[in-house]
Every structure is written in C-alpha cells, then in structure tokens.
Amino acid sequence: MTHEAAGVPPTRNDDDRPDDARPAEPQTAPEATDAPDTSDASAGEAGAAASAASASAASSPDSSDGGPQGGEERPEARLAKAVQVAEQALIEFEIAVETFRVEVENFSRLHHQKLGPMYARLDELDAQIAEARAARTGDPEDLRKAKEARDIVMPMPGVDELFHDWMDSDGLSPEASAMLTEQPVRPPKRVRPSEEARRLYRELARKAHPDLAQDEPERERRDEFITRVNAAYGRGDVELLKELAAEWAAGPAKPLPPLSESEELYARLEWLSRRKELLTVLAKELEESAIGSMLRMAPDDPDQLLEDIGDQLLGEVSRREAELAELVQ
C-alpha cells in the first residue's frame, strides 16, 4: 500500500487511549457508530462504506456551535469519534483493494507460468499447420499466411515486451529478482491466499496501518512493517505472517498526544476523503484490467478458473496436433 498523509497531523484513536483519557460515550451521536465490517466485501463495497463514513463524519458539529450543554458531549469529542469511524472505514477499503491487487498479480503470474507454455505450443502448431498447407498447395496466399504464423512464434521483441512481467507494484517481480541474484524463484502457491493468510493479513493491517500513526517516526515504522506484511501476504506465507504478528505484539508502546482540536480533525477528514478517491481510482483500474475481468468471472474460485482454461487449451492443442498429422501424411 502507498501512504500519502505526510504533513497532515494524525489523530488519536480511542482504541489506543487509556481508559481514563477517552471521551465519554455520547448520548446523541449518530455519526459515531462503529465502522462497518467490510472484511469480506469487494473493493467497491468497501469504498461505498468509506464514502458513507466520510459523509457521516462531515456532518459532525464543530466548536462554533458552542460548548457542551447539560450532559451532552463536547463537539470536538464527537468530531473525534466521527474521524475514527472514517479512518476505520478507509482502512477496510485499503484492505479490500490490496487483497484484490494481490489476487490480480498472483493470477497474472500463475497464468503466465502455467498456461504460457500451452499458448506457445498452440502458436507453434498454428505455424506448422500453415507451413504444411502452403507446402501442399503452393498458393501465394497460403505462403503469406504461413510466414505470418511463423512470425508470431518468433517475433522481434519491443521495448515494452523486454520488460514485461519484470516489474510489479513492489518493484522488481520475484522472478526478476531471482534471476538477477541467482536465488531460487518463490512464486505464489495459488491465486488467492488461504483463509488463514487472509485472516492474519487483515488483523495485522488493522493493527499496524500507517494511518493510525501519531507522529512521523511511528508512521515510518508502520510503513516498513506493513511493506513486509504485504510481501508475505502476496506469497501466501502463513508462517511469516504469524511471525510478523508476534513481532508487532512485542513492539514498543509510545505515549499518544492529547486530543486534537476541531480544525485538525477537519483537516484529517479532508485527507481521508482524498485518500479514498485515490483508492477508488486504483480499484477501478484493477477491476477493469484484463486479468481483473477474468477474476470477476470466477470470484469464488479463481484457481479453478486457471485449471478450466488449462483444460480448454489442452483440448485445442490436441485438435491442432490432429489437424497437423492429417496435413503431413
């Protein structure tokens, strides 16, 4: 995940405050409801939840409405709770987007690894069939088609093709890094990490998310940690995720600053809204990509979709081989 909150003073989260430092429970604060649970929602559904939370937060009164009257909670405290709701909704949205991004990248990589040889075999068979037909007929049009088919099998690579699959969202892909360092490749085991990996990832993302940092050093620490969490989740490495969970649990506990004033809270809400817009764009690009569209065809079992495509390609290979055998008899 990327994080662009530099310069915006973060706010205290009630979950991290000592009990005696938390504001009293509001008597009438519909904006301060708990963040909706989007652990199993799609990126689009989570984005809608984040939008609803931001809209609810924006309706909170500020200090210009006057101080607390009677037993009512002070406006700044209600606004702080609204900000917390918006923060949690945005985190859930980021989790949904990152989860889908990992699936898109894993599906793309596994599609290339598992099915690439079949596509190459089909191209070779097409070229051989075209060449056999041209040799039999001698027709200039058949000769032209045979040349075109052979050019597809061994094309001159362009600049984009030279770098294809060498870069992903985290920089060099694992395959490229392995080639450069002469280390064994560590591809993902499957498109969708296991339920245990997904559970551990969500827990770590909610606890260690950089947007919950109270100062810049803490944000940097969380950024570094979440980068390692994302890498482990991308590979579906449950054991490493467990180690990271233990590492975070043993981490330093830092004192938190006092409650922010309403101006800072409103600035925080504005940043949350901008961040949500950026994530919405990313989610749309992922969903509309070629691989994202394929994943949406089988949202419940993308690994089985790979198997089904592989079976179809094997059938095509068998048909092409039979056709070639008839031509060369």
Side-chain angles (χ1 to χ4, degrees):
M1 299 181 189
T2 57
H3 310 287
E4 303 168 15
V8 179
T11 61
R12 176 195 299 275
N13 290 277
D14 289 344
D15 290 342
D16 296 330
R17 296 193 187 98
D19 290 340
D20 57 356
R22 298 181 183 176
E25 289 294 325
Q27 295 182 1
T28 56
E31 306 91 334
T33 56
D34 292 337
D37 182 7
T38 59
S39 58
D40 294 320
S42 66
E45 292 169 342
S51 296
S54 297
S56 175
S59 66
S60 299
D62 60 17
S63 56
S64 62
D65 295 333
Q69 298 180 359
E72 291 187 359
E73 189 176 34
R74 53 193 292 265
E76 290 83 359
R78 295 180 63 192
L79 184 57
K81 282 185 171 290
V83 168
Q84 184 186 13
V85 171
E87 287 175 337
Q88 293 301 320
L90 182 64
I91 289 173
E92 295 297 331
F93 187 30
E94 289 205 36
I95 290 173
V97 172
E98 177 65 13
T99 296
F100 189 60
R101 184 195 67 78
V102 165
E103 291 185 11
V104 167
E105 289 191 357
N106 286 355
F107 192 94
S108 178
R109 189 167 292 136
L110 290 172
H111 182 274
H112 177 72
Q113 290 173 345
K114 292 184 176 183
L115 306 184
M118 296 187 193
Y119 287 118
R121 176 61 176 159
L122 285 172
D123 287 342
E124 175 62 30
L125 286 170
D126 285 339
Q128 291 182 17
I129 289 171
E131 289 166 348
R133 183 175 292 114
R136 174 177 288 188
T137 66
D139 185 271
E141 181 64 15
D142 288 340
L143 291 171
R144 183 188 65 79
K145 291 180 179 179
K147 182 179 183 303
E148 288 182 351
R150 178 55 60 189
D151 288 341
I152 292 175
V153 177
M154 296 184 298
M156 179 65 70
V159 174
D160 292 340
E161 293 171 319
L162 288 174
F163 290 96
H164 175 68
D165 205 32
W166 275 67
M167 301 293 290
D168 58 21
S169 60
D170 297 321
L172 282 177
S173 69
E175 291 83 355
S177 298
M179 290 176 66
L180 294 174
T181 60
E182 298 184 355
Q183 298 296 318
V185 178
R186 296 180 61 193
K189 296 180 179 179
R190 55 204 301 265
V191 172
R192 177 168 295 161
S194 67
E195 284 301 319
E196 178 71 0
R198 289 155 66 86
R199 180 187 65 79
L200 289 167
Y201 167 72
R202 291 189 182 111
E203 291 177 359
L204 284 169
R206 289 165 182 156
K207 291 177 182 177
H209 198 282
D211 287 353
L212 300 179
Q214 304 301 312
D215 52 44
E216 195 55 32
E218 175 65 1
R219 169 171 289 279
E220 293 175 359
R221 183 175 82 92
R222 287 172 177 258
D223 270 331
E224 186 276 334
F225 182 81
I226 285 294
T227 297
R228 290 188 286 142
V229 170
N230 289 343
Y233 177 66
R235 294 192 299 270
D237 193 335
V238 173
E239 293 306 314
L240 181 54
L241 287 170
K242 289 180 179 179
E243 292 176 11
L244 289 169
E247 177 184 331
W248 184 258
K254 294 188 176 182
L256 300 174
L259 185 66
S260 303
E261 293 298 326
S262 60
E263 293 81 7
E264 183 180 351
L265 293 168
Y266 275 120
R268 178 64 172 167
L269 283 174
E270 290 176 2
W271 180 87
L272 290 168
S273 177
R274 292 195 300 270
R275 175 65 179 162
K276 183 262 175 183
E277 291 175 0
L278 291 173
L279 286 169
T280 299
V281 171
L282 174 59
K284 184 177 180 181
E285 291 176 352
L286 288 170
E287 291 176 351
E288 293 180 352
S289 67
I291 294 297
S293 298
M294 292 179 70
L295 277 172
R296 290 164 65 185
M297 294 170 55
D300 296 329
D301 195 353
D303 293 282
Q304 184 59 47
L305 176 61
L306 277 178
E307 298 296 330
D308 293 342
I309 295 174
D311 291 341
Q312 294 174 13
L313 291 177
L314 284 174
E316 290 295 325
V317 168
S318 297
R319 283 190 287 274
R320 300 283 207 291
E321 289 176 338
E323 183 179 357
L324 178 61
E326 292 180 1
L327 287 171
V328 297
Q329 282 180 354

